[in-house]
Amino acid sequence: MTEPQVRLDLQRRQRLGMVEAIFGEHKTSEQIAACLSRLEAAGELALVTRVDQAKAAAVADLLSNVQFHAQARCLTLGDPAILLPALGEVVVLSGGTSDLPIAAEAALALRWHGIQSELLLDVGVAGLQRLLDQLARLQRAKVLIACAGMEGSLPTVLTGLVPQPVIGVPVSVGYGVSAGGRTALEGMLASCAPGLVVVNIDNGYGAAMAALRILKAAITGEAAVNQ
Amino acid sequence: MTEPQVRLDLQRRQRLGMVEAIFGEHKTSEQIAACLSRLEAAGELALVTRVDQAKAAAVADLLSNVQFHAQARCLTLGDPAILLPALGEVVVLSGGTSDLPIAAEAALALRWHGIQSELLLDVGVAGLQRLLDQLARLQRAKVLIACAGMEGSLPTVLTGLVPQPVIGVPVSVGYGVSAGGRTALEGMLASCAPGLVVVNIDNGYGAAMAALRILKAAITGEAAVNQ
Amino acid sequence: MTEPQVRLDLQRRQRLGMVEAIFGEHKTSEQIAACLSRLEAAGELALVTRVDQAKAAAVADLLSNVQFHAQARCLTLGDPAILLPALGEVVVLSGGTSDLPIAAEAALALRWHGIQSELLLDVGVAGLQRLLDQLARLQRAKVLIACAGMEGSLPTVLTGLVPQPVIGVPVSVGYGVSAGGRTALEGMLASCAPGLVVVNIDNGYGAAMAALRILKAAITGEAAVNQ
Amino acid sequence: MTEPQVRLDLQRRQRLGMVEAIFGEHKTSEQIAACLSRLEAAGELALVTRVDQAKAAAVADLLSNVQFHAQARCLTLGDPAILLPALGEVVVLSGGTSDLPIAAEAALALRWHGIQSELLLDVGVAGLQRLLDQLARLQRAKVLIACAGMEGSLPTVLTGLVPQPVIGVPVSVGYGVSAGGRTALEGMLASCAPGLVVVNIDNGYGAAMAALRILKAAITGEAAVNQ
Amino acid sequence: MTEPQVRLDLQRRQRLGMVEAIFGEHKTSEQIAACLSRLEAAGELALVTRVDQAKAAAVADLLSNVQFHAQARCLTLGDPAILLPALGEVVVLSGGTSDLPIAAEAALALRWHGIQSELLLDVGVAGLQRLLDQLARLQRAKVLIACAGMEGSLPTVLTGLVPQPVIGVPVSVGYGVSAGGRTALEGMLASCAPGLVVVNIDNGYGAAMAALRILKAAITGEAAVNQ
Amino acid sequence: MTEPQVRLDLQRRQRLGMVEAIFGEHKTSEQIAACLSRLEAAGELALVTRVDQAKAAAVADLLSNVQFHAQARCLTLGDPAILLPALGEVVVLSGGTSDLPIAAEAALALRWHGIQSELLLDVGVAGLQRLLDQLARLQRAKVLIACAGMEGSLPTVLTGLVPQPVIGVPVSVGYGVSAGGRTALEGMLASCAPGLVVVNIDNGYGAAMAALRILKAAITGEAAVNQ
Amino acid sequence: MTEPQVRLDLQRRQRLGMVEAIFGEHKTSEQIAACLSRLEAAGELALVTRVDQAKAAAVADLLSNVQFHAQARCLTLGDPAILLPALGEVVVLSGGTSDLPIAAEAALALRWHGIQSELLLDVGVAGLQRLLDQLARLQRAKVLIACAGMEGSLPTVLTGLVPQPVIGVPVSVGYGVSAGGRTALEGMLASCAPGLVVVNIDNGYGAAMAALRILKAAITGEAAVNQ
Amino acid sequence: MTEPQVRLDLQRRQRLGMVEAIFGEHKTSEQIAACLSRLEAAGELALVTRVDQAKAAAVADLLSNVQFHAQARCLTLGDPAILLPALGEVVVLSGGTSDLPIAAEAALALRWHGIQSELLLDVGVAGLQRLLDQLARLQRAKVLIACAGMEGSLPTVLTGLVPQPVIGVPVSVGYGVSAGGRTALEGMLASCAPGLVVVNIDNGYGAAMAALRILKAAITGEAAVNQ
Ligand SMILES: Nc1ncnc2c1ncn2[C@@H]1O[C@H](COP(=O)(O)O)[C@@H](O)[C@H]1O
Ligand SMILES: Nc1ncnc2c1ncn2[C@@H]1O[C@H](COP(=O)(O)O)[C@@H](O)[C@H]1O
Ligand SMILES: Nc1ncnc2c1ncn2[C@@H]1O[C@H](COP(=O)(O)O)[C@@H](O)[C@H]1O
Ligand SMILES: Nc1ncnc2c1ncn2[C@@H]1O[C@H](COP(=O)(O)O)[C@@H](O)[C@H]1O
Ligand SMILES: [Mg+2]
Ligand SMILES: [Mg+2]
Ligand SMILES: [Mg+2]
Ligand SMILES: [Mg+2]
Ligand SMILES: [Mg+2]
Ligand SMILES: [Mg+2]
Ligand SMILES: [Mg+2]
Ligand SMILES: [Mg+2]
């Protein structure tokens, strides 16, 4: 068995206008550090998702230019992109405070691409007034990311109230039938509110990249990619 | 193989205060007519659920004292029980108009036990104002039965708004992940609203019997059964 | 990424007549303590469910007015509500002794709302006489909560025997096909006994809130909420 | 593509003491008739399961020595085996009358191997007394076959009451979560009653063959096969 | 049982900038005609999805101002909105020609909101060159809707190639593990391509409404709704 | 919350001819010891299943008359019943050596009821000759218990070879689609071999109790129970 | 909505050495005829799978050069490729005669690529001797395709007996847990026999294409494609 | 309970041309060492799969002639077979670097049978160019093994590009809907690319054995086995 050959996607920024993201959950700290060094050498930023405290520390022992974000459970390489306020605002909502890690992952991924966002937690529909109270503020955002576990009805109710793009993020918070986030996911997919789109369970990163694509779509194609 | 022996549950009214209900879906019209004749001979009322037009007509050819309820897809034997307005009101809501057969089954089963109910359709959460507009009226009911298909979030939102017992009935209206009613069911079970209880998909009859048990629990035990 | 904003549901007592309940499983001790302090400052009681010994101790280090209930795996803030015996009795049954934590969670949640209950364990249907021996006693209760794991047939048999409201709580006790409680849940939903209602797997708290709604429904609406 | 070659299992009677059984559901009437002719030529009896009225008639047009059993939805070839009362009695029970086709399939398969059985329908646990009333009679059987749909708790309750072998047959009668028979199957597998064994959903034939194996096990090995 | 009361969502256009859509699959032609008359009376456009030829004809017998779109299996009420070319182009792609009904539903729903789209079928990844050949053209669109059945990998590959918003629509085309569209759905959700968003299986309408939200997000909030 | 009341099934031996079995997995060592003391006081034997080394040691610290069986992961109370060789032999087979704990649980449960059995491991069908070599020996047994994980085809092949009762025990040995034992379970239920019966995944205890029922059925009813 | 544009994969023969195959199940006869005409114009052969008698006739009305294969439920365009006996033999086996349509689809697809195969039906493991009797013949084949429904253990047993490539094809023949073919599929995937590979349920075509790839791999790369 | 008897498959090499492989995951180090000693005594090589570092060390303490392969998580007994370059090359690809353990297991199993392979990691379709860049090299291999987690589309895209046998190995890398590898597995089975074959999730060993069967099929039957 010869030494394995690894091909990083170094053209992602050119092609998609996105920094390389590394899925950290099933990699060793050595594998992560090796990827990051190659990206650093190529002058790239990077985001490593789904990393716990211990693995982050082990990577930091091997590499200097990295930073751990405990709430978001992510490692970053390099400094965040310059803020691009002209692209518009994103609000990240969640049904409960247990959804924080996922909401924070979304916010961090946005920030690393130059987008500032606001986090609004615990506005779930069991106490509906909390959401209705924020309507004016929500109507000012360009894109909404709505995270919810358990039965996941927040994105449905929200999508029925506002005309903007809403990205639902099912969260693996719950127990019994809702353990693992399937019920929230399927509730969002089955939603009777028109135009709600959905990403994988706990995929705050993916929701952020979808929001980024939408924000950039407001500007003409070619231009957007090169920002 | 000797002739099979069949044992009907003729003591149900004494034990539970309920008329016998026959699950019609997998029975032939001959089997249904045979059950109903024996119940009629015993001086009992009866309700046959999940019967289509054709099977109902075939039963009516064999037996005179039966009535078909097309919306509810049910057959009844005998006259409805005398109205018992003192037990209080039930409101049956639904998220869409496609849920009508299930809501109607619940209302019919209640009526055959002496309970009058009101039907309020198409107040789903995609147009939330339709529900909020009815709040005062809903707060006057003693028990609420909330039917919903697709993502099934109506009972969750309702249970967060009012203090009464709410019985969620998932409905097999939908397609893709919501086909068959599983998503609605699991959304209701996973609900973040405290105290929502649930019955099987499309089980309008069961929701009615649960409501009946609750209405009677307000009166002391023994008495309730004999009504 | 700005500091997240959290909205507690401080009007729940006014709206639903229930104390705030916090789902403790996916929260850190810091998050729980922060919620409880805000509720305490607002003069509210609170119940935190699904908390283990270690997390409970960490919260107790941060906050004085809390109490851990080991069997029920819950934390409480403040003193239980004054007993309201006029609302009637609840009996909490279970099929085996392994169901104790869930039965205890239900009993504790009831107690924190002023309802005293009785626990009757290990009356599963594999030894049916144990249940039949208790019938007279069960018939005196206003509401029955029946917890069961494995195949979960206790609530079905019970609902066929008594006329009162029965709330089935599937329990995640079992292995093979019954691991996780799905089989018990679906058995209860599919039950051939009329009027059995069901809550999520292991949701003792939800069953208690449903029982509370039923007990209060016996009293006229407005009044019940303000008790 | 050359003509396919088909190998029938003509030694089954020698090896297992069972007549050949053909699974009729996915075969054309031509395929069934072809199999039966070859078995007839070899001097064998045969049973064809899961055949509807129309297919049965089409086979009967092609072959004379066959008989259709409408309740059991089976075709038979040849005359039933001579009765072997010394092997002992089998009772086939069912929770409802909708389970009749499956119970009848079991009884027919037994009869074609020389075993007489009794059918006892509609003794489901929603009206428990109906079962308890039959206990003395059930205790006289050598083997019990208990068919049940919906939540399928009849075999569990029965197995807790009597010491004999009980074979549970889940039936695809139900709707919502119980549609298709999965809930009944898993309830039986998860059963807290010790020693209940289970066969596939709707597999009345398989339950009969298991009962036959048990009845013959009472006699010494070699002998049993040759009966 | 009193006459049911139905509440249509007549404010949807004001709130969301969308015409009312009726889910036609589980409704009778009478129910559909009744809804459409009320919408017509209110001066609204409408779209009825998932309607077959026969049901469409029955509705057309009851109401004059409707039109059936056979490929898209939809009924429309009124004339399409005026074209709004300034909002930008949408391209609807599909992996095979069997996906046509879903792609056509998306295109029709867009057209009824003033958006012209282009359909590009059978560019699935089994013959990758067909997709790569169209890259320049795809890069000119503002939003891409990618429909795919079977393993559903077209949206994944596409999202890795272009920077715009891509909405994946899983299609219930396939057999074995892919029957019903679950495999395509989960493949899209699990996608390793960053920022792909997904709607329910066969939900061409929902994808169109999401695209509409995105196109309008390019213009400032308030304004967009009133278009 | 009053002290919970626990009802043990002390009549099981009279009713079923079986010693009490306690499901140990979800109980604390204190709960197990409490049950065993009450059974000991009542002069009963007992078997505790699914107990690990540590929990067993903790029980042994609280109670003297118990014994741990490491391979079978069971605790026993009291001495095994006197051997009853007249009831006939049981052979317990398994597909691999990883199935040992389940096969050993079955053998131990049999032994505690007076039945001696033989264990024959690693005769899986990937090396079919290993099974065919044992045929003569297998044909001498009265009942066969066949344990298998992965695809679980051993019981199917065996049931096609011998005429005796075969009880299939799916084992949770495997990974990917076979992790948890579902594939083995469903393979056994779907088996094309006539008369194979099945118990829950890993339920060696249940298979033993079924074998016991069969062995006793050879003797007349009443008598068998009192042995 | 402009006219949809369709891109056929006309380079498949160059790239993969395979004729174009059209998945007929979800296409109208008009769509199929349109695809075939374009392929005919390009001088290509084609195979249309999963077509019933009626649809086949409708296509034949529109196009002359097609042929229907009833057993295999396929349409073909053009004449089969010249036989290439040098590539070696394939044997297609099946567990029962109900598997014939799938086995025939595999044989037809092979034939259309120049490969002759033999069909050997009803050698399932419930009567193991039927398979063992054919061992010598099976050992002469270059590739084996083994089709099986129900529990699907034929490919497992076969793979343990012979050293050649075995391709398992799960078949949707069965009922209860085996309805739809999932159990057969997972049993083959979980197989303890080393090196068994699997295709989708009922995918006789795919198994044939895999066999073709294997037969051609014996010859050097480039050459194989151009045959 | 007598001492269990264990039957190893010592004829596997004669029958299949493969060394014995032991599934290590559910075995103790004592069980593994016992199997290996018997194989060593019989002069056999062996491979133990799915072993972690700790278990491997414990086995090495009991037995000298073993070697641990950390990346592949396997133990081997004896020296690898002599290289057989004439059989042709295998390339093992993977979509990400997280798939390394499975790719390494395949490579090791091949090496232990005399086959050298090449590993090519992180050529997933999110950055398609990485795969297209390697086409020439891939076209030189005789068999391709393609490992992928998440949505698993690499084998589909690859099979559409090259004419050789491709064996897809779904990998349990992912989260949400892709956790555990089901989504990757079903995506590969549902693949629209003709002739892709699949093995169980994470079954690198099985893919290697399938490749070995294919490589040997190029040589005539008898001969191949004895190599
Ligand atoms: N948390 C995440 N969720 C979804 N996709 C991710 C996540 N983190 C990284 N990715 C994507 O997964 C791809 C494969 O990851 P890797 O295995 O690191 O090469 C990356 O290129 C990212 O686009
Ligand atoms: N094909 C469709 N897919 C998803 N949502 C739809 C579809 N057709 C209609 N809807 C939405 O479903 C809601 C409920 O439908 P209705 O039952 O007609 O009130 C409608 O208001 C639409 O927003
Ligand atoms: N491993 C086991 N598998 C299946 N049933 C068991 C097992 N162990 C004990 N049981 C049964 O489960 C019932 C309930 O257990 P318990 O929770 O201890 O009351 C007991 O009465 C036994 O009949
Ligand atoms: N990782 C693996 N995946 C699939 N099969 C395996 C694996 N490792 C070993 N096997 C096979 O599983 C069979 C049963 O394993 P054992 O339980 O060790 O007897 C062995 O004979 C091997 O053919
Ligand atoms: Mg909260
Ligand atoms: Mg509506
Ligand atoms: Mg007990
Ligand atoms: Mg009945
Ligand atoms: Mg095509
Ligand atoms: Mg072995
Ligand atoms: Mg046959
Ligand atoms: Mg990568």
Side-chain angles (χ1 to χ4, degrees), chain A:
Chain A
M1 176 172 125
T2 59
E3 191 55 21
Q5 309 195 19
V6 179
R7 324 249 128 207
L8 281 180
D9 184 7
L10 297 170
Q11 279 74 46
R12 178 174 290 198
R13 192 140 49 141
Q14 283 69 40
R15 220 169 55 245
L16 306 180
M18 296 175 191
V19 309
E20 172 73 342
I22 293 166
F23 177 54
E25 187 165 351
H26 300 268
K27 297 200 176 70
T28 60
S29 48
E30 289 75 21
Q31 286 179 312
I32 293 172
C35 290
L36 291 180
S37 315
R38 287 180 55 193
L39 286 163
E40 192 177 25
E44 291 285 338
L45 300 184
L47 179 71
V48 190
T49 61
R50 302 178 72 92
V51 179
D52 62 33
Q53 190 89 45
K55 198 184 277 183
V59 175
D61 282 354
L62 299 167
L63 215 75
S64 58
N65 193 17
V66 298
Q67 192 183 343
F68 184 57
H69 307 260
Q71 272 187 345
R73 297 176 308 187
C74 289
L75 268 173
T76 50
L77 171 77
D79 296 320
I82 298 166
L83 279 178
L84 304 166
L87 288 181
E89 318 169 52
V90 174
V91 175
V92 182
L93 304 85
S94 89
T97 51
S98 308
D99 309 316
L100 178 55
I102 304 310
E105 182 185 292
L108 178 71
L110 282 170
R111 183 63 199 86
W112 240 250
H113 289 84
I115 314 293
Q116 186 72 38
S117 62
E118 239 180 306
L119 252 73
L120 188 56
L121 302 186
D122 212 9
V123 290
V125 303
L128 193 63
Q129 206 51 50
R130 298 175 297 180
L131 180 68
L132 298 177
D133 288 351
Q134 306 294 324
L135 257 188
R137 179 179 172 189
L138 296 173
Q139 274 158 344
R140 283 195 303 272
K142 199 137 207 147
V143 179
L144 298 158
I145 294 177
C147 307
M150 300 184 118
E151 92 294 346
S153 50
L154 172 62
T156 288
V157 170
L158 182 66
T159 304
L161 291 170
V162 302
Q164 296 108 300
V166 182
I167 302 164
V169 188
V171 179
S172 63
V173 157
Y175 65 96
V177 299
S178 58
R182 274 264 166 194
T183 295
L185 168 66
E186 300 191 356
M188 293 180 197
L189 286 166
S191 177
C192 59
L196 172 60
V197 291
V198 186
V199 294
N200 195 7
I201 297 163
D202 292 338
N203 193 1
Y205 162 71
M209 292 306 94
L212 183 72
R213 288 176 182 259
I214 294 171
L215 293 176
K216 290 197 172 172
I219 312 176
T220 32
E222 276 305 290
V225 181
N226 299 328
Q227 290 238 328

Side-chain angles (χ1 to χ4, degrees), chain G residues 12 15-18 139 142-143 158-167 182 185-186 189-201 203 205-207 209-210 213-214 216-222 225, chain H residues 12 15-18 139 142-143 158-167 182 185-186 189-201 203 205-207 209-210 213-214 216-222 225:
Chain G
R12 178 175 289 198
R15 221 169 56 245
L16 307 180
M18 296 175 190
Q139 274 158 343
K142 200 140 206 145
V143 178
L158 181 67
T159 305
L161 290 170
V162 302
Q164 297 107 302
V166 182
I167 301 165
R182 274 264 164 193
L185 169 65
E186 300 192 357
L189 287 165
S191 177
C192 60
L196 172 61
V197 291
V198 185
V199 294
N200 196 7
I201 296 162
N203 192 2
Y205 163 70
M209 291 307 95
R213 288 175 183 260
I214 294 170
K216 290 197 171 172
I219 313 176
T220 30
E222 276 305 289
V225 182
Chain H
R12 179 175 289 198
R15 220 169 55 244
L16 307 180
M18 296 176 191
Q139 275 158 342
K142 200 138 207 148
V143 179
L158 181 67
T159 304
L161 291 170
V162 302
Q164 296 108 301
V166 181
I167 302 166
R182 274 265 165 193
L185 169 65
E186 301 192 355
L189 286 165
S191 176
C192 58
L196 172 60
V197 291
V198 186
V199 294
N200 195 8
I201 297 162
N203 193 2
Y205 163 71
M209 291 307 94
R213 287 175 183 260
I214 295 170
K216 289 197 171 170
I219 313 177
T220 32
E222 275 307 288
V225 182

Side-chain angles (χ1 to χ4, degrees), chain B residues 7-9 12 20-23 27 35, chain D residues 95-97 122 124 130:
Chain B
R7 323 249 129 203
L8 281 180
D9 184 7
R12 179 174 288 197
E20 173 73 343
I22 293 166
F23 177 54
K27 295 199 177 70
C35 290
Chain D
T97 51
D122 212 10
R130 299 175 296 180

Side-chain angles (χ1 to χ4, degrees), chain F residues 174-190:
Chain F
Y175 65 95
V177 300
S178 58
R182 273 265 164 192
T183 295
L185 169 66
E186 300 192 355
M188 293 179 197
L189 287 166

Side-chain angles (χ1 to χ4, degrees), chain D residues 82-102:
Chain D
I82 298 166
L83 279 178
L84 304 166
L87 287 181
E89 319 169 50
V90 174
V91 175
V92 182
L93 305 85
S94 89
T97 51
S98 308
D99 309 315
L100 178 56
I102 304 311

Side-chain angles (χ1 to χ4, degrees), chain E residues 39-219:
Chain E
L39 287 163
E40 192 178 26
E44 291 285 338
L45 302 183
L47 179 71
V48 191
T49 60
R50 300 178 72 93
V51 179
D52 61 33
Q53 189 89 44
K55 199 185 277 185
V59 175
D61 283 354
L62 299 167
L63 214 76
S64 58
N65 193 18
V66 297
Q67 192 182 342
F68 184 57
H69 305 261
Q71 272 186 343
R73 297 176 307 189
C74 289
L75 268 173
T76 49
L77 171 78
D79 295 320
I82 298 164
L83 279 178
L84 303 166
L87 289 181
E89 318 170 50
V90 174
V91 174
V92 182
L93 305 85
S94 88
T97 52
S98 307
D99 308 315
L100 178 57
I102 303 310
E105 181 186 290
L108 179 71
L110 282 170
R111 183 63 198 85
W112 239 250
H113 288 83
I115 314 294
Q116 186 72 38
S117 62
E118 239 180 304
L119 251 73
L120 188 56
L121 302 187
D122 213 8
V123 290
V125 303
L128 193 62
Q129 206 50 49
R130 299 174 297 179
L131 180 67
L132 298 177
D133 287 352
Q134 306 293 323
L135 256 188
R137 177 178 174 190
L138 296 173
Q139 275 158 343
R140 282 194 304 272
K142 200 138 207 144
V143 179
L144 298 158
I145 294 177
C147 308
M150 298 185 119
E151 92 295 344
S153 52
L154 171 62
T156 287
V157 171
L158 181 66
T159 304
L161 290 171
V162 302
Q164 296 108 300
V166 181
I167 302 165
V169 188
V171 178
S172 61
V173 157
Y175 65 96
V177 299
S178 58
R182 273 264 164 194
T183 295
L185 169 66
E186 300 193 356
M188 293 180 198
L189 287 165
S191 175
C192 59
L196 173 60
V197 291
V198 185
V199 295
N200 195 7
I201 297 162
D202 291 339
N203 193 1
Y205 163 71
M209 291 307 95
L212 182 71
R213 287 175 183 260
I214 294 170
L215 293 176
K216 290 197 171 171
I219 314 178

